[in-house]
């Protein structure tokens, strides 16, 4: 039941690929208030609505922590 995954005889070499550096920016295109959620969603390749719902849940369940995080990001994160 043991399988041998030997690569003898294979001369295939792979060059390391560089991944582009993602910068955290606020979006101007899909912004509802300041673009924090839409900019984060673009960087993470997810829908901005999901992040907005999570932010509201964090605000309601975390005694306002979500709104504090949003305001800090609004002030510190540059716009596109």
């Amino acid at each position: 039941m043991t399988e041998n995954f030997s690569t003898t005889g294979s001369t295939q070499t792979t060059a390391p690929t560089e991944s582009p550096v993602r910068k955290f920016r606020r979006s101007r295109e899909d912004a509802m208030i300041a673009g924090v959620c839409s900019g984060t969603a673009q960087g993470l390749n997810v829908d901005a609505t999901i992040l907005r719902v999570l932010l509201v849940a964090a605000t309601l369940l975390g005694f306002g922590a979500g709104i504090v995080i949003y305001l800090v990001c609004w002030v510190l994160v540059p716009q596109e």
Side-chain angles (χ1 to χ4, degrees):
M1 292 282 281
T2 33
E3 297 179 21
N4 187 5
F5 292 106
S6 175
T7 58
T8 56
S10 175
T11 59
Q12 181 181 7
T13 59
T14 58
T17 58
E18 289 187 27
S19 62
V21 176
R22 294 182 183 172
K23 295 190 177 186
F24 184 38
R25 303 270 188 222
R26 293 185 292 130
S27 176
R28 290 183 183 181
E29 297 170 4
D30 191 26
M32 290 192 104
I33 297 175
V36 174
C37 289
S38 60
T40 306
Q42 287 176 359
L44 296 174
N45 294 325
V46 297
D47 189 22
T49 306
I50 295 170
L51 291 180
R52 290 179 181 128
V53 169
L54 290 174
L55 181 69
V56 170
T59 301
L60 296 175
L61 300 174
F63 303 106
I67 196 71
V68 172
I69 292 169
Y70 190 88
L71 292 173
V72 168
C73 289
W74 188 352
V75 171
L76 297 179
V77 176
Q79 200 168 24
E80 287 182 320

